[in-house]
Amino acid sequence: MTRSTEAAIQRSRVEQLLEVTREIVAGSDLPVVLASIARAIRTVVGFDAVAIALTDAADDLEVVVVEGPDELRRHMLGRVGPRAEYDALMDSCEARGRLLFLVGGDDPEVGLPTWRSDDEGWYARRADDPHAWGVDDGLYAPLRDGDGVLIGLVSVDLPVSGRAPDDEQCAMLELLARQAEQSIEAHRRLAKTEHNERIFRRAFDSSPSPEAVVDPAQRLTYVNRRFVRELGEVADVASLAALLTPAEGERCVSEVVAELLAEGAERTSGRLVAFRERPDGARVWYQVRVHAVLDQAGRAYRAICSFADITAERETQAWHERAAAHDPLTGLLNRRGGAHAVAELLTRADEGVLGVLACDLDGFKALNDEYGHGFGDDVLVALAPRLRAVAGDDAVVMRQGGDEFAVLALLPDEDGVAALADRMVSAFADPVRVGSVAAELGVSVGATSAPVHARPTVSELLDTADAALLRAKRAGKARFELA
């Protein structure tokens, strides 16, 4: 063979390999890819009979691709052989690198799908060649995954040269076998991913809570049915953030998602509490949990947002907080709630005075003695709205106990405090009607004040106002005294 002829053959082989590579890259269906590899083994490596078997669910091997004579295809395609028999076959072979060579002799392939050419002359014509391919010879390329587990087997027969393959042919067969391994593994990974994705979607869709999948561009790529029922059609996280109002001190959902999906993010999960307002004005509260999903390189490529309805818990919490801050009989603030409300009141002003009025009902004990404590309680309940109306919407009105109340309000100056105390006394000129009884009551008021900028202590002001109240009582009741 001349050098030019040998070069032409090599060039042809390279071109054929490149063509097979293009087919493999372009192919998405595993049988198509394996058929391209089998065809390359036939045309490039030089074997007229090629079969590729893959392990099935039972770990046996099924022939899925055949390249060669029609009789080979009819006899082998779809045949399944027990794994134990294939293991026995491979154990009887001689190792040549990654390949296994079966030297003709006793047939170990009992129970396996086998094929032998009917062309007896093919072998007879080569009988005198010491390197001739024998009728019982075989060459196999085991296919294994990254963990070394057998996933398939390539078997070849009828070398075009009629002789046992040389080192170059073995190297090319190994190369194509590796390509087959990679294609099978990629296909199985994809199938597993698709299977897991189907399981995920079924679980996702059947979740009793709203769920959403977010991509790095903060688009909602998938939401479950519950999400649509509760939150409607939402395209992206910005639209979702417009629906949800964070609780006090909580971050917006868009901030949490952006942090977790940012390149180099240190955290993979976050949470927040937010509410949406229904058309009827009621609030639905959610605890939103956001989990980043990482790829094999550890980069977040999507996030899953889960919404747990905590409305009942929030309402229970609000009820307990209200109960702890309010008088259970009148609904007015108690001392604890009043102190908190005044502290908030003082944060909203830098000038003026804080007026404090200590109020005590005149004649209340006589009503209790005449009509009973139940009637007295009804009187206190009826008086609460009157106290709030006189004090004004911005004032703090609290029940200190029994028939004693306190009013705290931001006022322009001390004259405003006196005017409020006078209005409070005047408000009790009219009787309080409970059922058929018109209860005649008065109120005595002790008032004091302190500049807002001094950040006065409420407890001290109440003590001072109580002392002024005592003077008002002693001076004849139904009046007010300024400290």
Side-chain angles (χ1 to χ4, degrees):
M1 181 183 298
T2 65
R3 288 187 178 180
S4 60
T5 302
E6 185 177 348
I9 293 173
Q10 292 293 339
R11 184 168 57 253
S12 175
R13 286 178 173 176
V14 170
E15 290 173 352
Q16 289 174 315
L17 282 174
L18 289 174
E19 179 61 29
V20 170
T21 302
R22 282 193 291 269
E23 291 179 359
I24 291 171
V25 171
S28 58
D29 188 37
L30 182 61
V32 173
V33 173
L34 294 181
S36 298
I37 292 173
R39 190 163 58 254
I41 294 173
R42 184 181 186 186
T43 59
V44 180
V45 183
F47 285 91
D48 278 337
V50 183
I52 301 178
L54 300 181
T55 54
D56 59 16
D59 210 29
D60 295 326
L61 280 88
E62 178 185 358
V63 179
V64 296
V65 171
V66 172
E67 181 70 23
D70 291 340
E71 58 183 291
L72 171 66
R73 189 182 307 277
R74 288 193 300 268
H75 186 76
M76 294 288 288
L77 191 60
R79 295 280 300 277
V80 178
R83 170 63 183 273
E85 297 288 349
Y86 271 107
D87 287 339
L89 167 66
M90 290 186 288
D91 287 342
S92 67
C93 294
E94 297 177 2
R96 294 191 179 180
R98 296 183 68 231
L99 304 181
L100 299 173
F101 185 64
L102 178 66
V103 181
D106 294 335
D107 190 355
E109 302 180 38
V110 178
L112 290 178
T114 59
W115 174 84
R116 182 176 295 164
S117 174
D118 293 334
D119 185 4
E120 298 294 340
W122 190 94
Y123 300 98
R125 289 192 294 272
R126 299 162 176 82
D128 296 336
D129 187 345
H131 300 291
W133 184 267
V135 66
D136 292 319
D137 288 349
L139 184 61
Y140 306 95
L143 306 177
R144 302 184 183 278
D145 64 15
D147 296 323
V149 177
L150 187 73
I151 57 176
L153 185 71
V154 178
S155 59
V156 297
D157 200 355
L158 302 181
V160 175
S161 66
R163 312 183 77 197
D166 58 23
D167 292 342
E168 183 181 349
Q169 287 176 293
C170 289
M172 285 191 290
L173 181 57
E174 285 191 26
L175 176 65
L176 290 166
R178 283 197 295 271
Q179 184 62 65
E181 287 174 341
Q182 294 170 6
S183 299
I184 295 167
E185 277 207 279
H187 173 79
R188 292 187 173 182
R189 281 197 302 270
L190 179 61
K192 185 177 181 180
T193 300
E194 290 175 345
H195 176 70
N196 291 340
E197 186 73 14
R198 286 193 296 271
I199 293 175
F200 166 76
R201 285 182 181 267
R202 282 198 295 269
F204 194 79
D205 280 333
S206 61
S207 172
S209 302
E211 309 271 353
V213 178
V214 183
D215 68 8
Q218 298 207 21
R219 294 185 299 261
L220 271 60
T221 57
Y222 191 75
V223 297
N224 67 353
R225 291 187 291 269
R226 186 72 181 205
F227 183 98
V228 175
R229 282 201 300 271
E230 291 198 22
L231 296 162
E233 299 288 345
V234 182
D236 50 37
V237 177
S239 302
L240 180 62
L243 290 175
L244 299 176
T245 302
E248 184 178 355
E250 296 279 352
R251 292 190 299 164
C252 180
V253 63
S254 58
E255 295 177 9
V256 176
V257 171
E259 176 188 351
L260 298 183
L261 290 178
E263 187 172 351
E266 297 181 356
R267 297 197 303 154
T268 59
S269 64
R271 70 174 70 183
L272 64 123
V273 174
F275 69 86
R276 69 177 176 89
E277 194 163 298
R278 296 192 320 210
D280 61 3
R283 289 181 175 181
V284 180
W285 286 88
Y286 296 105
Q287 183 178 75
V288 185
R289 296 177 181 271
V290 186
H291 296 277
V293 182
L294 308 181
D295 60 17
Q296 292 182 344
R299 295 185 297 265
Y301 70 96
R302 67 180 178 181
I304 298 176
C305 300
S306 303
F307 300 76
D309 189 330
I310 58 170
T311 305
E313 292 91 325
R314 292 288 297 199
E315 290 177 347
T316 300
Q317 178 185 350
W319 184 88
H320 284 296
E321 290 175 353
R322 178 174 175 79
H326 289 76
D327 171 48
L329 177 64
T330 63
L332 297 175
L333 293 169
N334 57 21
R335 280 183 175 270
R336 177 181 176 183
H340 181 72
V342 172
E344 286 192 350
L345 199 66
L346 290 173
T347 63
R348 301 199 299 265
D350 293 319
E351 55 185 27
V353 299
L354 175 66
V356 178
L357 279 61
C359 308
D360 185 83
L361 298 180
D362 300 326
F364 183 73
K365 183 177 183 303
L367 284 176
N368 268 342
D369 292 343
E370 183 176 355
Y371 295 104
H373 289 282
F375 179 82
D377 287 346
D378 292 340
V379 169
L380 294 177
V381 171
L383 281 175
R386 187 180 298 189
L387 289 169
R388 282 194 291 258
V390 174
D393 294 337
D394 294 332
V396 175
V397 181
M398 62 183 185
R399 183 187 179 196
Q400 300 202 83
D403 60 343
E404 297 179 4
F405 300 87
V407 177
L408 302 95
L410 291 175
L411 297 164
D413 48 36
E414 292 183 358
D415 290 342
V417 177
L420 177 58
D422 185 56
R423 291 197 303 274
M424 191 64 65
V425 173
S426 300
F428 283 80
D430 296 329
V432 179
R433 184 168 294 279
V434 176
S436 60
V437 178
E440 299 284 348
L441 287 171
V443 65
S444 296
V445 178
T448 189
S449 64
V452 169
H453 63 78
R455 292 295 179 254
T457 302
V458 173
S459 59
E460 292 180 357
L461 291 177
L462 282 171
D463 289 343
T464 304
D466 283 337
L469 171 62
L470 184 59
R471 292 198 300 273
K473 285 280 192 182
R474 289 172 178 171
K477 304 180 181 180
R479 54 180 293 143
F480 72 88
E481 286 284 341
L482 293 177

